């Protein structure tokens, strides 16, 4: 099975399972798990932050960041299409009484910073208190320009806002831009990274920031029921991923570019690659036909976003290219299109 639905479908490799099996563990709610403590120290160090916290998911990590930066009656600004606004079940509002202020966002993940300034509410009992701006890197596979992040930071400083980065795929951004994750994280007060996407760990995210922010996040993690006991079994997978699965993200990016080029050669203008993703611009009906036909070849797609990851190796790429070359042409006639 060649599964392009997401980079969350990756399975632990035999070597990662070895690392999990031999992990030293303890009760992490008591701070006793040496493997969790090591993972937190490693991530804090890699991101250039004082402290870090291992959590169950990216959604929990972003929520903890918002709850730790804001109080009840505060608000955070995020893009309409940002994960922190659109895809997290309204958690900040539901569980933290923190109101979102969504703003239009360009396809490459940027908010117009003049609009951000206009959206900051005056200090007046009529308004929620604007406390936080949330950005994303990568957004839809696109790397956030470092100059933009720096400008956003100085704007936040001028207006007393904190700046959070949803860096679910920050390591993809680092590999693509040949920048260290510490450099990319530098303008942000808090950064969330996912271990369970392209890095290939089965579970887990890490939130990094100042010592006092992480202390608040630790409290909220317990409140949310996210205090895990011998979590070193999971942290070991994360440590293994950070050691062995970061540099190889370049292969995923190259594979995405290769498939986009192939699609483009069959139908010009129909595909665009961004880090480990390919966005396929075909009519809905035709994409559905293509999905059904590729399923026959053992290839799974979900929609117009195809994601490359460590489960797609060189042999899979050959099969994929062969299948796509024929199926893309077939889907054209099946969907009744003239060209
Ligand atoms: C996947 C993802 C998350 C959330 O991660 P989960 O572990 O699925 O909760 C957050 N932000 C972005 C941009 C993501 O892609």
């Amino acid at each position: 099975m060649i599964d392009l639905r997401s980079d969350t479908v990756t399975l632990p490799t035999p070597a990662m399972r070895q690392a999990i099996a031999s992990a030293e563990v303890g009760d992490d709610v008591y701070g006793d798990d040496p493997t969790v403590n090591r993972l937190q120290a490693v991530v804090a160090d890699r991101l250039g932050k004082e402290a870090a916290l291992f959590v169950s998911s990216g959604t929990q990590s972003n929520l903890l960041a918002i709850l730790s930066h804001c109080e009840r009656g505060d608000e955070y600004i995020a893009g309409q299409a940002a994960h922190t606004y659109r895809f997290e079940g309204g958690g900040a509002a539901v569980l933290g009484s923190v109101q979102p202020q969504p703003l239009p966002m360009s396809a490459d993940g940027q908010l117009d910073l003049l609009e951000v300034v206009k959206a900051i509410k005056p200090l007046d009992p009529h308004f929620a208190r604007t406390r936080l701006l949330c950005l994303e890197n990568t957004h839809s596979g696109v790397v956030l320009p470092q100059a933009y992040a720096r400008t956003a930071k100085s704007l936040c400083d001028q207006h007393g806002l904190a700046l959070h980065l949803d860096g679910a795929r920050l390591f993809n951004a680092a590999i693509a831009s040949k920048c260290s994750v510490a450099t990319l994280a530098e303008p942000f007060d808090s950064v969330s990274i996912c271990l369970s996407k392209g890095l290939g760990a089965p579970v887990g995210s890490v939130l990094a920031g100042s010592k006092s922010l992480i202390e608040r996040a630790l409290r909220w993690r317990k409140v949310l029921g996210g205090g895990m006991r011998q979590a070193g079994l999971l942290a070991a997978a994360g440590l293994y991923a950070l050691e062995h699965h970061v540099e190889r993200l370049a292969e995923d990016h190259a594979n995405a570019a290769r498939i986009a080029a192939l699609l483009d050669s069959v139908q010009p203008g129909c595909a665009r690659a961004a880090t480990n993703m390919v966005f396929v611009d075909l009519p809905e009906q035709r994409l559905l036909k293509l999905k059904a036909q590729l399923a026959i070849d053992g290839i799974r797609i979900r929609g117009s976003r195809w994601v490359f990851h460590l489960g797609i190796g060189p042999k899979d790429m050959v099969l994929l290219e062969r299948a796509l070359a024929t199926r893309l042409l077939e889907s054209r006639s099946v969907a009744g299109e003239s060209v």
Side-chain angles (χ1 to χ4, degrees):
M1 185 63 84
I2 297 172
D3 196 341
L4 301 177
R5 289 172 303 163
S6 175
D7 47 9
T8 55
V9 301
T10 47
L11 299 175
T13 61
M16 182 182 278
R17 285 175 184 270
Q18 250 346 114
I20 294 169
S22 58
E24 223 189 312
V25 295
D27 189 333
D28 182 53
V29 174
Y30 294 155
D32 281 354
D33 192 302
T35 309
V36 171
N37 291 340
R38 195 160 73 248
L39 173 65
Q40 291 175 166
V42 165
V43 173
D45 184 58
R46 296 271 295 257
L47 294 179
K49 302 296 176 200
E50 280 176 9
L53 187 67
F54 181 50
V55 302
S56 62
S57 69
T59 300
Q60 187 177 71
S61 190
N62 284 329
L63 176 61
L64 292 177
I66 296 170
L67 297 185
S68 303
H69 284 296
C70 303
E71 288 175 22
R72 178 185 170 136
D74 291 349
E75 80 171 6
Y76 69 101
I77 296 174
Q80 283 281 359
H83 206 282
T84 47
Y85 171 64
R86 195 177 164 86
F87 297 103
E88 298 185 0
V94 173
L95 301 161
S97 301
V98 179
Q99 134 179 317
Q101 170 60 69
L103 292 179
M105 189 179 190
S106 66
D108 58 1
Q110 296 181 31
L111 285 70
D112 180 337
L113 293 175
L114 292 176
E115 294 303 314
V116 170
V117 172
K118 279 197 239 162
I120 297 170
K121 313 267 187 299
L123 285 174
D124 174 311
H126 288 88
F127 302 110
R129 290 164 303 193
T130 313
R131 281 286 160 81
L132 175 68
L133 172 62
C134 295
L135 298 175
E136 208 169 289
N137 194 10
T138 62
H139 174 76
S140 294
V142 179
V143 179
L144 193 72
Q146 189 63 1
Y148 177 87
R150 291 222 181 87
T151 309
K153 174 58 177 165
S154 63
L155 183 152
C156 286
D157 285 345
Q158 279 165 38
H159 292 88
L161 268 59
L163 184 60
H164 171 68
L165 180 66
D166 176 356
R169 296 187 180 85
L170 189 64
F171 286 91
N172 293 87
I175 292 295
S177 61
K178 299 186 166 62
C179 264
S180 71
V181 281
T183 300
L184 298 180
E186 196 273 325
F188 296 89
D189 298 296
S190 55
V191 178
S192 168
I193 58 143
C194 284
L195 301 165
S196 61
K197 298 210 163 147
L199 295 183
V203 176
S205 284
V206 182
L207 178 66
S210 69
K211 206 159 165 285
S212 65
L213 184 96
I214 295 304
E215 274 165 17
R216 293 198 292 282
L218 173 70
R219 185 188 137 69
W220 282 121
R221 188 186 69 175
K222 192 77 186 81
V223 171
L224 292 171
M228 298 183 283
R229 302 293 177 173
Q230 284 73 33
L233 295 176
L234 301 173
L239 279 165
Y240 181 89
L242 288 171
E243 205 169 311
H244 297 97
H245 292 169
V246 173
E247 295 304 321
R248 65 150 308 286
L249 291 172
E251 288 171 41
D252 301 339
H253 300 176
N255 288 342
R258 225 169 104 182
I259 294 302
L262 172 81
L263 292 171
D264 240 24
S265 71
V266 179
Q267 173 137 348
C270 83
R272 175 177 62 80
T275 57
N276 67 329
M277 300 178 185
V278 174
F279 294 88
V280 184
D281 185 14
L282 288 174
E284 182 81 24
Q285 270 316 94
R286 186 151 168 216
L287 212 46
L288 281 172
K289 293 289 177 196
L290 192 57
K291 178 179 169 174
Q293 288 169 304
L294 288 174
I296 299 166
D297 303 324
I299 298 163
R300 294 182 87 172
I301 60 170
R302 202 167 59 146
S304 60
R305 188 190 74 161
W306 302 3
V307 189
F308 292 79
H309 50 76
L310 58 78
I312 314 286
K315 282 186 199 145
D316 300 311
M317 284 298 291
V318 173
L319 291 174
L320 187 57
E321 283 182 325
R322 202 175 299 154
L324 277 174
T326 43
R327 296 301 189 186
L328 191 61
L329 288 171
E330 275 175 27
S331 71
R332 187 154 68 183
S333 55
V334 173
E337 283 176 45
S338 53
V339 177

